[in-house]
Amino acid sequence: MSETNVGADDLHHPTKTMSVSDEVVIEINSMHKWYGSFHVLKDINLKVSHGERIVVCGPSGSGKSTAIRCINRLEEHQKGQIIVNGIELTNDLKKIDEIRREVGMCFQHFNLFPHLSILENLVLAPMWVRNIPRNEAVETAMKYLERVKIPEQAAKYPGQLSGGQQQRVAIARSLCMNPKIMLFDEPTSALDPEMIKEVLDVMIELAEEGMTMICVTHEMGFAKTVANRVIFMDEGEIIEENEPNQFFDNPQHERTQLFLSQILAH
Amino acid sequence: MAEQRQYEVGLHPDLPPPASTTGAIGWVRANLISSPVNTLFTVFAIYLVYTMIPPMLDWLIFDAAWVGDDNSVCKNETGGPIAAACWPFIKVWITPFMFGRYPESELWRIKITYGLFGIALLALLIPQIPFKKWFALFLLLPFPIICFYMYVGGSFGLMYVETNLWGGLFLTLVIAITGIVASLPIGIILALGRRSNMPVVKAICVAFIELWRGVPLISILFMSSVMFPLFMPEGVNFDKLLRALVGVTLFSSAYMAEVVRGGLQAIPKGQYEGAKALGLNFGKMMYFIVMPQALKLVIPGIVNTFIGLFKDTTLVGVIGLLDFLAMIQAGSSNPKWLGYLTTGFAFAALVYWCFCFGMSQYSQHLERKLHTGH
Ligand SMILES: Nc1ncnc2c1ncn2[C@@H]1O[C@H](COP(=O)(O)OP(=O)(O)O)[C@@H](O)[C@H]1O
Ligand SMILES: [Mg+2]
């Protein structure tokens, strides 16, 4: 990853010059969500084009996770509209399944299936959701395990891998479903410092290939390297949204400034 | 006082632990006399073993009557029963104990199914034998059907054998295995129902579980044999064994449901989310991800319920089904064999213990095998 040093000319970086098409793959219109009477998400509006990479940041409890989990209906919104890949999210279970097939997700705590070997973790969904024959699914799984650089772990169980390896397996598991969109919810925040890079490297590579991505993360280096847009959330609202250089160098809102000063102080 | 370093920094080899912490002496020290209280318990345990084991061995083995084909070998000088086990009693009565009043000419039918079961079980237990899946499938699907036709008869040229002739250990196994095999899936369905978001489904499952769990098995069996026929129209008559089977199965399903629910509650939310995010629907998520983990967690509880069920089958004696224990009681109330009930009970205890201990061992084997290091 010699080209990923973040410099003045990072507009010439390959990931930044990746074409972003006009095709809108995620559209969120005035979306609200409540937990009981607690208003967690307030009037969220977002359009994501095919190939776009968006980083979401904000203080803990600001609703970042809830927001991206609404996109694949792990959480239900109560007002407004979410359209993913041309399908509107409603209570229709068929449509929810259809969307989930196209949207991969990686979690803070990996959520690998501990009773299945790594290979079985990877082939399960392709075989039983996409009805791909086993040998083909295994082939794809090995291809992605090689891409995340741990093909030798295929026969092991998740409990035998390090956190960084588990997160890479989780990414590979999502990719095996050949998703159009990838969601990441703080994929590196449960990892020991020396493992963060190996996961970010995989994510950067994915971005370079043109995957549409929404990442909740506080890895500002990553945001500068790959993001087209950075979104700042606080108390359930999108406070600020900008292109990364502008966002970091010239934050508009005082809450953004406060937040950035806090995380950059470290 | 620092000793002289014996090795260079970084070159320290692995040394064996001190002798006093390993081997037999280390074990005795750590486990039997590690503290004054522990030492006291050890002494007490040795005393108990010393006072109880020799008389027991005398009764069971050394003073017991072993050979003979009638009751004469089991009598003392005054003509009463000897004060020790009378094993010829078991020997003489072994066929009724094993098969009840099942016609002797037809016993081969039962024995064949035992043989098939034994072969399939061995194939499953011996690691070197391939095609495990097929043996398991055989036991689960065709085997019960084969058993049904073999035991009941009335077709394929086999003589019809009424279920009230079934008895002994054979009947016990029929009830226990049917109960075990049927109660697990029913229990799983009830557990899922109880966790359902749909209020009606949930209410039905809660009501069912609490109803069956709140009533003693013995009263369920009484109800099934005495009250149930009263509610039925004249002439409609269900087999008594069938009614007992249904009662025992539903009773243990209610227990099983709660055991399984405990396992379901222990599965972290992240597992559901991981599965959903991959696009697995509810059924596939439960089948591939949640249930395997939940059931594995509660293997001890499941086997506990199985063992309880196995021993509870003795209660069918009260509705006149002659299970293993009832046959032993019947045998010892024969005028020629009065006074040897204790021997019969000792034999029953041994047989029940073997089955239950076997189940327990198998469950531990399963737990070890399914352990994937998390
Ligand atoms: N299942 C839930 N029930 C009630 N409140 C919740 C639930 N999940 C999250 N919250 C609350 O919603 C707010 C936003 O949570 P979350 O989206 O996880 O924040 P973030 O990911 O930005 O840290 C928090 O105040 C949190 O306490
Ligand atoms: Mg979060």
Side-chain angles (χ1 to χ4, degrees):
Chain A
M1 208 74 355
S2 59
E3 299 163 310
T4 57
N5 55 329
V6 184
D9 62 346
D10 65 345
L11 271 180
H12 300 294
H13 187 275
T15 63
K16 287 297 167 73
T17 53
M18 277 297 307
S19 65
V20 172
S21 77
D22 295 335
E23 184 199 348
V24 175
V25 286
I26 301 175
E27 186 175 347
I28 302 178
N29 295 320
S30 341
M31 187 260 282
H32 294 255
K33 174 169 178 63
W34 289 262
Y35 282 124
S37 60
F38 173 49
H39 200 171
V40 261
L41 295 178
K42 303 164 186 164
D43 193 27
I44 304 291
N45 289 284
L46 182 70
K47 270 202 176 74
V48 183
S49 301
H50 182 75
E52 231 187 334
R53 297 165 301 276
I54 293 182
V55 162
V56 182
C57 61
S60 176
S62 57
K64 309 177 297 289
S65 300
T66 311
I68 71 163
R69 289 153 60 86
C70 282
I71 294 172
N72 64 351
R73 196 62 161 200
L74 290 183
E75 301 288 350
E76 194 177 327
H77 63 285
Q78 277 104 28
K79 206 170 155 217
Q81 203 183 26
I82 303 179
I83 303 170
V84 182
N85 207 19
I87 305 166
E88 179 171 359
L89 272 170
T90 58
N91 281 326
D92 187 342
L93 288 178
K94 269 220 175 89
K95 290 193 171 158
I96 293 174
D97 282 341
E98 214 173 306
I99 286 173
R100 284 177 180 162
R101 278 200 290 270
E102 305 303 331
V103 180
M105 184 161 192
C106 291
F107 302 85
Q108 185 175 358
H109 296 289
F110 331 131
N111 297 353
L112 295 178
F113 307 130
H115 63 301
L116 299 177
S117 71
I118 301 303
L119 186 66
E120 295 303 322
N121 263 276
L122 266 66
V123 298
L124 182 86
M127 280 173 62
W128 296 100
V129 178
R130 289 220 189 272
N131 297 318
I132 291 171
R134 186 179 169 89
N135 51 0
E136 220 172 285
V138 169
E139 211 171 288
T140 316
M142 290 314 295
K143 185 182 94 187
Y144 283 114
L145 276 183
E146 254 154 56
R147 270 196 43 186
V148 300
K149 303 185 182 65
I150 34 177
E152 73 283 0
Q153 312 284 6
K156 288 200 187 162
Y157 285 89
Q160 298 166 318
L161 266 54
S162 75
Q165 291 174 325
Q166 289 191 50
Q167 193 61 290
R168 285 185 281 154
V169 170
I171 295 174
R173 181 176 72 175
S174 296
L175 294 179
C176 284
M177 282 293 283
N178 196 15
K180 277 198 159 157
I181 302 160
M182 282 290 293
L183 308 174
F184 293 87
D185 189 0
E186 305 206 30
T188 56
S189 52
L191 298 179
D192 291 334
E194 78 269 19
M195 296 173 185
I196 292 178
K197 187 173 175 296
E198 65 190 45
V199 172
L200 289 181
D201 282 349
V202 169
M203 290 170 64
I204 290 170
E205 218 173 284
L206 201 56
E208 282 170 353
E209 281 160 23
M211 176 67 79
T212 311
M213 295 164 68
I214 302 184
C215 312
V216 175
T217 180
H218 293 155
E219 293 297 328
M220 291 307 143
F222 172 78
K224 286 179 187 169
T225 316
V226 306
N228 303 94
R229 260 191 294 163
V230 181
I231 289 176
F232 175 70
M233 282 185 73
D234 195 11
E235 299 190 351
E237 285 179 284
I238 295 182
I239 304 285
E240 190 165 341
E241 185 176 340
N242 215 332
E243 174 279 311
N245 285 332
Q246 284 293 314
F247 181 87
F248 290 110
D249 301 342
N250 192 12
Q252 302 297 308
H253 203 283
E254 65 181 282
R255 278 199 258 176
T256 319
Q257 291 160 6
L258 180 68
F259 175 74
L260 287 177
S261 70
Q262 279 168 346
I263 62 164
L264 296 178
H266 294 292
Chain B
M1 221 177 60
E3 282 178 42
Q4 174 102 37
R5 284 199 77 93
Q6 292 188 11
Y7 306 96
E8 287 295 308
V9 173
L11 293 177
H12 205 300
D14 296 341
L15 301 176
S20 61
T21 62
T22 59
I25 297 173
W27 187 86
V28 168
R29 263 198 202 187
N31 293 291
L32 298 183
I33 52 173
S34 62
S35 70
V37 178
N38 194 345
T39 312
L40 206 69
F41 274 119
T42 303
V43 171
F44 183 61
I46 291 173
Y47 171 75
L48 271 189
V49 167
Y50 172 75
T51 50
M52 289 175 66
I53 299 293
M56 221 163 88
L57 289 181
D58 283 344
W59 191 89
L60 284 172
I61 299 171
F62 300 117
D63 295 347
W66 283 95
V67 280
D69 289 318
D70 59 35
N71 56 5
S72 61
V73 293
C74 297
K75 294 203 185 304
N76 57 20
E77 307 80 51
T78 60
I82 53 169
C86 169
W87 297 120
F89 168 58
I90 308 295
K91 189 181 158 203
V92 170
W93 283 85
I94 193 70
T95 306
F97 288 173
M98 288 299 123
F99 303 105
R101 293 179 293 147
Y102 208 88
E104 216 150 319
S105 61
E106 305 297 313
L107 286 182
W108 60 271
R109 284 153 55 172
I110 299 176
K111 289 175 182 164
I112 281 183
T113 61
Y114 280 7
L116 285 176
F117 184 78
I119 291 170
L121 202 66
L122 271 182
L124 285 178
L125 292 180
I126 299 173
Q128 288 83 9
I129 295 182
F131 310 121
K132 290 245 178 324
K133 206 165 83 185
W134 294 106
F135 283 110
L137 218 61
F138 167 76
L139 277 185
L140 222 55
L141 284 172
F143 183 68
I145 299 169
I146 295 175
C147 285
F148 178 80
Y149 281 106
M150 286 294 251
Y151 299 164
V152 178
S155 49
F156 301 112
L158 293 174
M159 184 183 121
Y160 174 65
V161 181
E162 265 182 278
T163 55
N164 61 15
L165 296 178
W166 301 18
L169 187 63
F170 162 65
L171 182 69
T172 294
L173 289 175
V174 166
I175 298 172
I177 293 177
T178 310
I180 284 172
V181 171
S183 68
L184 187 59
I186 299 176
I188 290 174
I189 291 167
L190 286 172
L192 287 175
R194 194 168 186 165
R195 286 169 58 87
S196 163
N197 293 326
M198 289 174 272
V200 178
V201 173
K202 185 175 171 157
I204 291 173
C205 291
V206 171
F208 184 94
I209 292 170
E210 296 305 338
L211 183 77
W212 286 91
R213 224 165 37 132
V215 180
L217 178 58
I218 202 163
S219 56
I220 291 175
L221 291 172
F222 261 124
M223 293 274 281
S224 80
S225 79
V226 182
M227 309 251 316
F228 187 67
L230 299 180
F231 303 137
M232 283 286 127
E234 197 94 18
V236 175
N237 192 19
F238 285 107
D239 188 80
K240 192 176 2 177
L241 173 61
L242 183 64
R243 278 181 274 141
L245 278 176
V246 172
V248 167
T249 302
L250 294 184
F251 181 77
S252 46
S253 304
Y255 277 89
M256 196 59 77
E258 289 300 279
V259 172
V260 173
R261 191 166 69 97
L264 286 173
Q265 264 162 354
I267 302 302
K269 222 173 117 220
Q271 291 294 306
Y272 291 86
E273 293 178 349
K276 283 183 196 166
L278 285 169
L280 294 167
N281 61 24
F282 179 81
K284 288 171 185 165
M285 170 174 79
M286 283 295 161
Y287 182 79
F288 290 114
I289 309 300
V290 178
M291 272 304 161
Q293 295 185 64
L295 293 181
K296 188 182 110 182
L297 275 176
V298 294
I299 287 174
I302 292 176
V303 175
N304 203 24
T305 311
F306 284 168
I307 289 176
L309 164 67
F310 191 85
K311 293 187 296 185
D312 278 352
T313 57
T314 49
L315 289 174
V316 300
V318 302
I319 58 168
L321 291 174
L322 292 172
D323 75 313
F324 184 44
L325 204 63
M327 277 317 293
I328 285 178
Q329 278 168 311
S332 64
S333 58
N334 181 300
K336 272 172 72 183
W337 294 95
L338 284 175
Y340 303 113
L341 188 57
T342 323
T343 303
F345 279 160
F347 178 61
L350 180 74
V351 171
Y352 279 109
W353 184 82
C354 286
F355 277 98
C356 295
F357 186 68
M359 283 193 260
S360 153
Q361 287 300 298
Y362 183 67
S363 93
Q364 286 179 26
H365 161 79
L366 212 58
E367 276 178 69
R368 277 193 300 271
K369 199 175 122 188
L370 295 178
H371 184 75
T372 56
H374 60 274

